[in-house]
Amino acid sequence: MAADEHADVGDVEHVAARIDSDWAVPILVGLWSASLGADQLELARYRPAVKRALVALRTSNHGDPGRSVSALVGLVTACANDHSDYLASVLPEFETADTENSGELISVGEGLQLAPDANRLAASPSMARLARLANGADPARLLPDTTHLRNVPQGPRYAELWRGLYLRLAAVIWLQRFDFRTAVPNAIIFLPKQFYTQFHLVPEFSTRSGKSTSLVFGSADIGLLLDSAAVDGKPGSNDMQLTAYPLHPVSGGYVTSLALLYDSVAPWAQLWLHRMDLWKVAVSDPFEAEVISRFESCGFIAGSVSESGHWSLGAIDLRPNSSGTVLEISQSLANAGRSPGEIDVLAWNDAEGLLMLCECKSINATHNLQTAATKLSATDAAGWRKKLIKKKEWIEAACGRPVDFTFIALEGISYYMSSEDQDPMILDRERLQHLLADIFTPDGTLRIQEGA
């Protein structure tokens, strides 16, 4: 699907207007679904272009639509070129001939923060639990084995999240029962407009009040929670956001696949958490706790530091009989006055006498790529680093000793830079894990002593 000439947005709209969307949408959805296969890495490269083509077909004014394969190939090619131009415009600092300073920005489904929770729900879907959550039950009690969803507050205000998850998993179960083609997860399936009336998975259940309740869905719910028409047509917004809506409308119904339904669970949850301003409590705070736990597993004493200088160390005893250095650092921070901002992780290694400072950044890749890229651009990353350096200087002035290593821990997007990367470094989750586990033993001593 290569093209000798670049096509602009106008070309995309012009080509899309000449194509019968009822004919083309199932083909494009089939390509998208097939690209999710583990052995389809080459096809996966065209996934953003396929998504753009779907949006173009929906938003174009169709005059005299036809069913030309060459026109459809031309549309996908134009969308691929359009996507390439878009990447170049929003990620200029990631494209350089200087291999010593080049970088790569990657976002994949399994790298999404909510992917582990989504996998747990899909592995053993409890529709009764999701139905109860949609009716106001406590997520912490019903989903204790999840990392993020258990942090969603209780109450009817959050019903839309659970209704959306319920619908996705209910559709999977329903299709597995009645459609022989679902033996192939990537196979395209047609759903009639009123398919949701067949959901009788949780007809009723008893609540504590002794009453019975059930989930009821209508066409408006499908449009709001599942229909890809809910996604706007702005450049960049039709990637992860489109992934969150797995039903693609055609005359008389929708086309989808089991793979698309499964793949929509984590993006839907992430979009919804952001919309409801729950990103910090459900995603960012657990990531900070994870980083602290990683330090502790390598023999560090670690915790956050408030703007007032309180070093939160959980169960660590800071009475005078505790480690002298830990107590000294804690008291020095408390007496230093207001800090330049909350410090996510300050970690002390008693065995080696090392002090480390870490800022945690949890990027929501379900926003458009430009938003995500801005967070990692030279300008914004410098802002991250500038703020962290101010915190480092405040700690060093308060404690009268240097901070030995300062870095930014990143999740949600894989961000690789060369060895020439600036200080403080930006480390994704995998690199952070290797940094700590490969260098320190569980008791905090260095695995390889200097000069050994």
Side-chain angles (χ1 to χ4, degrees):
M1 293 184 184
D4 295 330
E5 298 181 1
H6 256 31
D8 57 24
V9 176
D11 291 324
V12 169
E13 295 175 347
H14 177 71
V15 175
R18 295 187 288 109
I19 298 175
D20 182 352
S21 60
D22 282 342
W23 167 78
V25 167
I27 297 174
L28 293 174
V29 172
L31 288 172
W32 179 358
S33 184
S35 74
L36 296 173
D39 58 344
Q40 297 294 330
L41 296 179
E42 183 64 25
L43 186 57
R45 292 178 51 216
Y46 291 95
R47 197 180 302 150
V50 169
K51 294 178 181 180
R52 280 178 174 261
L54 284 167
V55 173
L57 287 171
R58 175 169 53 79
T59 57
S60 296
N61 294 318
H62 297 272
D64 185 21
R67 298 186 174 185
S68 166
V69 173
S70 61
L72 183 57
V73 171
L75 174 61
V76 175
T77 301
C79 288
N81 291 333
D82 192 35
H83 183 66
S84 178
D85 290 341
Y86 171 72
L87 289 180
S89 69
V90 301
L91 296 174
E93 64 276 8
F94 291 97
E95 297 189 359
T96 170
D98 181 4
T99 57
E100 290 299 315
N101 290 284
S102 62
E104 186 173 8
L105 180 68
I106 303 174
S107 176
V108 294
E110 286 303 309
L112 296 179
Q113 292 91 330
L114 270 291
D117 285 4
N119 290 338
R120 289 189 183 95
L121 289 178
S124 56
S126 174
M127 308 312 297
R129 282 192 298 173
L130 290 173
R132 293 175 65 189
L133 290 167
N135 283 284
D138 183 9
R141 184 170 61 86
L142 294 183
L143 300 175
D145 57 339
T146 60
T147 301
H148 304 291
L149 292 176
R150 68 184 181 190
N151 297 312
V152 175
Q154 180 179 4
R157 181 169 181 258
Y158 310 103
E160 185 178 311
L161 166 64
W162 309 116
R163 289 171 66 84
L165 293 175
Y166 180 98
L167 270 176
R168 284 158 177 77
L169 296 178
V172 168
I173 295 173
W174 181 67
L175 289 169
Q176 286 176 329
R177 288 178 177 177
F178 301 110
D179 197 320
F180 70 93
R181 289 169 296 176
T182 57
V184 182
N186 302 100
I188 298 306
I189 301 164
F190 174 81
L191 296 177
K193 285 287 186 182
Q194 305 296 321
F195 74 92
Y196 50 86
T197 61
Q198 302 298 316
F199 289 171
H200 298 299
L201 302 172
V202 187
E204 290 188 341
F205 60 88
S206 297
T207 63
R208 289 185 178 182
S209 64
K211 299 178 180 179
S212 295
T213 185
S214 60
L215 294 185
V216 179
F217 297 99
S219 59
D221 297 298
I222 302 303
L224 179 66
L225 304 175
L226 290 176
D227 192 336
S228 64
V231 181
D232 63 47
K234 297 178 181 178
S237 65
N238 54 339
D239 192 350
M240 281 298 181
Q241 289 192 41
L242 194 63
T243 305
Y245 294 86
L247 300 191
H248 301 277
V250 292
S251 294
Y254 304 94
V255 288
T256 188
S257 73
L258 282 185
L260 292 182
L261 286 164
Y262 276 127
D263 203 44
S264 72
V265 176
W268 163 259
Q270 293 203 181
L271 280 174
W272 194 94
L273 290 175
H274 181 82
R275 289 171 182 167
M276 298 299 292
D277 294 324
L278 291 175
W279 191 258
K280 182 180 187 304
V281 66
V283 182
S284 297
D285 289 350
F287 181 51
E288 292 177 14
E290 176 192 334
V291 173
I292 290 172
S293 178
R294 289 191 184 277
F295 272 108
E296 292 174 340
S297 67
C298 292
F300 285 76
I301 296 171
S304 61
V305 181
S306 68
E307 291 188 32
S308 63
H310 174 66
W311 192 14
S312 179
L313 296 175
I316 299 296
D317 189 355
L318 290 180
R319 291 176 297 183
N321 63 345
S322 66
S323 169
T325 305
V326 174
L327 181 61
E328 290 170 9
I329 294 175
S330 179
Q331 291 178 337
S332 297
L333 295 174
N335 296 329
R338 194 169 186 82
S339 74
E342 183 176 340
I343 294 166
D344 294 335
V345 183
L346 183 65
W348 168 253
N349 182 315
D350 206 46
E352 301 291 344
L354 297 174
L355 188 62
M356 293 194 178
L357 172 63
C358 173
E359 187 85 357
C360 300
K361 297 294 183 182
S362 188
I363 300 295
N364 185 0
T366 54
H367 277 196
N368 65 57
L369 186 58
Q370 186 168 12
T371 300
T374 300
K375 295 295 184 181
L376 294 173
S377 68
T379 302
D380 199 78
W384 281 356
R385 293 185 173 106
K386 184 177 181 180
K387 293 176 183 178
L388 188 55
I389 288 172
K390 287 183 178 179
K391 295 175 183 179
K392 174 185 175 181
E393 292 172 346
W394 178 82
I395 293 171
E396 290 177 335
C399 299
R401 59 147 295 145
V403 173
D404 299 290
F405 187 52
T406 306
F407 64 93
I408 296 169
L410 180 72
E411 73 162 353
I413 292 178
S414 296
Y415 174 80
Y416 299 99
M417 292 299 289
S418 72
S419 59
E420 300 297 319
D421 195 10
Q422 301 179 52
D423 182 46
M425 293 181 66
I426 296 180
L427 302 175
D428 60 37
R429 177 186 268 107
E430 183 177 355
R431 292 178 72 192
L432 171 61
Q433 182 177 357
H434 289 320
L435 171 73
L436 296 177
D438 293 351
I439 296 177
F440 297 99
T441 65
D443 64 2
T445 58
L446 292 171
R447 294 187 181 277
I448 302 176
Q449 297 294 328
E450 186 174 355

